[in-house]
Amino acid sequence: IVMDEIEVPTEHLHEQLHESAAESAEKWILKVALTAALLAVFAAITALLAGHYANEAMIEQIQASDQWAYYQAKGIKSAVVESKIDLLHTLGKEANPKEKEKAAQYKEDQKEIDKKARERETASEEHLSLHNMLAKGVTIFQVAIAICAISALTKRKWLWYGSIILGLAGLILFAITYI
């Protein structure tokens, strides 16, 4: 008995496998691209907020410095009035009671100015702290985007998963900033 070999058309199968693999790769690259785009959006929002808090910290610090300058001015005025009172006393003359009231008022003003200056300094430190947390978040998002790009170039899914994990870490840091 002679058996004829049965020929299986493998070319067609080979082409289908190749097309299927190409489609799968395209879908995966699309997912990587979307991930990178989302990470970029989160990075942009976080960077914008980090910049806002840096500006607020600077404004608060400038206002605190202004308050301290005002505090010093009141201190100088008080010292001048007290010197005048002391000089008059040394000369055996009585100082005007209004001068003594002025000196006392300057001292009271200084207490209020001190309080405002310290509040501004505290607010500045809080804004700077928020800025620092958000700046770290921006860095994490940027690294995640870079790893996403590397995963697409090297076709390594584990790198893509790593970029997603880093992105989640950035989101957690973002959320912690406001808690």
Side-chain angles (χ1 to χ4, degrees):
I1 302 181
V2 177
M3 277 183 97
D4 288 327
E5 278 189 40
I6 301 175
E7 190 173 311
V8 178
T10 58
E11 286 179 16
H12 181 49
L13 266 171
H14 186 67
E15 284 177 19
Q16 279 183 333
L17 285 173
H18 213 5
E19 286 175 13
S20 177
E23 269 182 39
S24 176
E26 280 182 32
K27 286 180 183 177
W28 180 74
I29 292 295
L30 180 63
K31 289 177 185 177
V32 172
L34 288 173
T35 302
L38 280 173
L39 290 169
V41 167
F42 292 135
I45 292 168
T46 306
L48 183 67
L49 290 171
H52 166 74
Y53 286 116
N55 291 340
E56 289 297 316
M58 185 173 56
I59 290 167
E60 294 285 352
Q61 189 58 49
I62 289 168
Q63 290 173 342
S65 294
D66 289 348
Q67 287 297 309
W68 287 122
Y70 189 43
Y71 177 91
Q72 259 187 325
K74 290 288 185 173
I76 291 168
K77 287 180 178 183
S78 175
V80 168
V81 171
E82 287 174 356
S83 292
K84 181 179 176 183
I85 292 169
D86 288 345
L87 181 61
L88 287 172
H89 183 67
T90 303
L91 295 174
K93 297 185 179 183
E94 191 61 35
N96 186 340
K98 286 186 179 181
E99 295 291 327
K100 289 181 181 180
E101 288 175 21
K102 246 189 214 180
Q105 184 59 49
Y106 289 143
K107 296 279 185 200
E108 281 301 309
D109 290 348
Q110 277 187 301
K111 288 178 186 174
E112 185 61 32
I113 295 166
D114 178 272
K115 181 182 171 191
K116 285 180 183 177
R118 290 182 193 282
E119 286 172 357
R120 296 287 187 213
E121 285 177 339
T122 300
S124 175
E125 289 169 5
E126 288 170 1
H127 284 120
L128 192 57
S129 176
L130 290 171
H131 162 75
N132 288 335
M133 290 286 286
L134 291 169
K136 290 174 187 172
V138 170
T139 302
I140 290 171
F141 285 129
Q142 289 173 337
V143 170
I145 292 166
I147 291 174
C148 218
I150 293 168
S151 76
L153 291 172
T154 61
K155 296 181 174 72
R156 301 278 194 262
K157 283 191 178 184
W158 64 271
L159 285 171
W160 177 52
Y161 296 135
S163 71
I164 291 171
I165 291 168
L166 274 176
L168 290 173
L171 284 173
I172 289 168
L173 192 58
F174 182 88
I176 288 173
T177 301
Y178 291 104
I179 293 175

